[in-house]
């Protein structure tokens, strides 16, 4: 079994992804797979997509200081392995106990759009008391331990890495490096096209990347993965220097443009 546990900012997008039919990339209004999501379990919530988002957000408002109230879990079986509906529901309950959200709002669905069986769980980290009572500390390690328990409980294949589900070219890259390299490429493209830090920050946000600036700089993608800028060769100092170079190039172009115009005017005098 392979598991992922990530935190996020908004329930709308996450719940929509879990419940909606799969769409084509070229035509977002055309569904390529209908009824891909089968509800497994509701916990202290119920309804359609709109109603669920509203219910989760109502509890979220009890703790407005918590910026990442969403916990999104994905649990995938190895190719060829299938658990029954009753077993999947028990896996969901076991996961809620393991991560401490059994008393919080959560919903679980099975997706049927891939060859390997997999489920999604969306949980509210904020409880009905208004406290963030679900920790996201060491979630990667805790998820790995949980998967090993489920493999033993249901006599599943022992899977240490999701690489077998990736194309061969991507299997050669470490899992963390792959996402880091993708984020780095996007950020560099944005950085070279920016004039100011504010512009860089805004363009990054439009591309799904939040910037956290303090003594240093860090980046968070739309799946909640946080990477230090220094780990990607994009330290705060490097970013500011590149923005300065961008501004100097703009100024030089402006000076050159002015000189050319002045020369042209001189020829006409």
């Amino acid at each position: 079994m392979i598991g992922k546990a990530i935190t996020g900012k908004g329930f709308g997008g996450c719940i929509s992804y879990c419940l909606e039919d799969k769409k084509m990339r070229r035509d977002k209004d055309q569904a390529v797979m209908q009824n891909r999501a089968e509800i497994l379990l509701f916990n202290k919530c119920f309804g359609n997509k709109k109603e669920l988002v509203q219910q989760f957000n109502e509890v979220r408002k009890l703790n407005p200081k918590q910026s990442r109230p969403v916990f999104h879990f994905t649990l995938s079986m190895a190719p060829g392995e299938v658990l029954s509906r009753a077993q999947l529901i028990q896996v969901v309950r076991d996961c809620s106990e393991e991560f401490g959200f059994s008393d919080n709002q959560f919903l679980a669905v099975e997706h049927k759009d891939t060859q390997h069986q997999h489920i999604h769980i969306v949980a509210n980290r904020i409880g009905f008391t208004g406290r963030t009572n679900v920790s996201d500390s060491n979630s990667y390690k805790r998820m790995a331990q949980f998967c090993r328990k489920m493999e033993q409980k249901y006599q599943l294949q022992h899977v240490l890495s999701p690489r077998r589900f990736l194309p061969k070219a991507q299997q050669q890259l470490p899992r963390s490096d792959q996402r880091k390299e993708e984020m780095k490429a996007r950020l560099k493209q944005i950085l070279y096209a920016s004039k100011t830090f504010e512009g860089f920050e805004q363009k990054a946000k439009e591309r799904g990347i939040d910037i956290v600036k303090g003594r240093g700089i860090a980046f968070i993608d739309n799946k909640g993965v946080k990477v230090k800028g220094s780990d990607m060769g994009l330290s705060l100092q490097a970013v500011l220097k590149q923005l300065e170079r961008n501004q100097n190039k703009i100024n030089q172009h402006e000076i050159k443009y002015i000189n050319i115009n002045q020369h042209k005017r001189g020829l006409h005098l």
Side-chain angles (χ1 to χ4, degrees):
M1 179 183 287
I2 294 169
K4 295 181 182 178
I6 57 177
T7 58
K9 292 184 175 182
F11 288 104
C14 189
I15 291 177
S16 295
Y17 170 77
C18 289
L19 296 182
E20 290 179 352
D21 291 330
K22 192 173 183 179
K23 307 295 175 63
M24 291 184 66
R25 293 183 179 180
R26 293 183 180 179
D27 185 356
K28 294 183 178 180
D29 294 327
Q30 182 177 354
V32 297
M33 176 171 284
Q34 296 181 345
N35 303 318
R36 69 157 183 161
E38 180 181 336
I39 300 293
L40 293 174
L41 188 64
F42 289 116
N43 193 73
K44 301 189 177 181
C45 60
F46 189 77
N48 58 33
K49 178 184 69 176
K50 184 177 179 180
E51 292 168 335
L52 288 166
V53 173
Q54 182 179 357
Q55 292 166 29
F56 275 71
N57 281 331
E58 285 174 355
V59 176
R60 176 185 187 169
K61 291 177 183 178
L62 299 176
N63 189 346
K65 292 183 179 180
Q66 175 53 257
S67 62
R68 308 191 74 81
V70 184
F71 225 150
H72 181 192
F73 301 84
T74 305
L75 295 166
S76 304
M77 308 304 127
E81 293 187 327
V82 178
L83 295 181
S84 68
R85 176 182 172 84
Q87 288 174 323
L88 290 176
I89 291 174
Q90 188 56 53
V91 168
V92 172
R93 294 193 183 280
D94 289 342
C95 184
S96 70
E97 292 289 341
E98 185 78 18
F99 282 84
F101 59 86
S102 57
D103 291 329
N104 290 23
Q105 292 170 315
F106 70 83
L107 70 133
V109 302
E110 178 186 1
H111 274 184
K112 301 178 181 294
D113 57 347
T114 60
Q115 291 182 350
H116 60 279
Q117 187 182 48
H118 68 284
I119 62 177
H120 292 266
I121 306 169
V122 182
N124 198 336
R125 295 181 61 213
I126 300 172
F128 289 94
T129 62
R131 296 182 59 187
T132 304
N133 56 6
V134 181
S135 172
D136 62 347
S137 178
N138 296 318
S139 58
Y140 182 83
K141 181 178 180 181
R142 289 160 63 198
M143 177 54 75
Q145 293 172 341
F146 174 72
C147 288
R148 304 295 79 79
K149 290 180 182 179
M150 294 301 101
E151 288 166 352
Q152 185 175 8
K153 181 175 181 177
Y154 295 103
Q155 298 181 337
L156 299 172
Q157 184 181 161
H158 189 55
V159 181
L160 291 175
S161 171
R163 293 181 189 177
R164 65 177 62 193
F165 296 159
L166 299 175
K168 289 185 178 179
Q170 296 181 2
Q171 289 180 10
Q172 305 304 317
L173 289 173
R175 182 170 176 267
S176 58
D177 286 352
Q178 180 191 345
R179 179 164 289 173
K180 189 188 300 182
E181 289 301 318
E182 291 174 355
M183 189 189 299
K184 179 180 177 180
R186 275 189 290 165
L187 286 168
K188 280 194 170 183
Q189 185 181 30
I190 297 167
L191 179 59
Y192 292 146
S194 302
K195 301 177 184 179
T196 64
F197 187 87
E198 290 74 18
F200 173 55
E201 191 173 29
Q202 180 60 36
K203 289 177 183 177
K205 190 171 185 178
E206 291 171 358
R207 295 285 297 275
I209 302 174
D210 289 331
I211 296 177
V212 181
K213 181 174 173 285
R215 292 184 179 180
I217 192 169
F219 305 95
I220 304 173
D221 69 9
N222 55 9
K223 292 187 176 181
V225 176
K226 184 176 181 180
V227 182
K228 291 182 180 179
S230 57
D231 290 342
M232 297 188 290
L234 291 170
S235 65
L236 181 58
Q237 185 178 10
V239 169
L240 294 177
K241 282 186 177 180
Q242 183 60 51
L243 291 172
E244 185 179 355
R245 285 193 290 268
N246 293 350
Q247 191 61 51
N248 288 338
K249 285 182 181 179
I250 294 171
N251 293 337
Q252 289 172 6
H253 285 309
E254 290 177 349
I255 293 171
K256 185 177 180 180
Y257 178 77
I258 292 172
N259 290 338
I260 291 173
N261 284 341
Q262 288 177 342
H263 179 69
K264 288 180 179 179
R265 286 198 296 269
L267 292 176
H268 291 293
L269 293 176

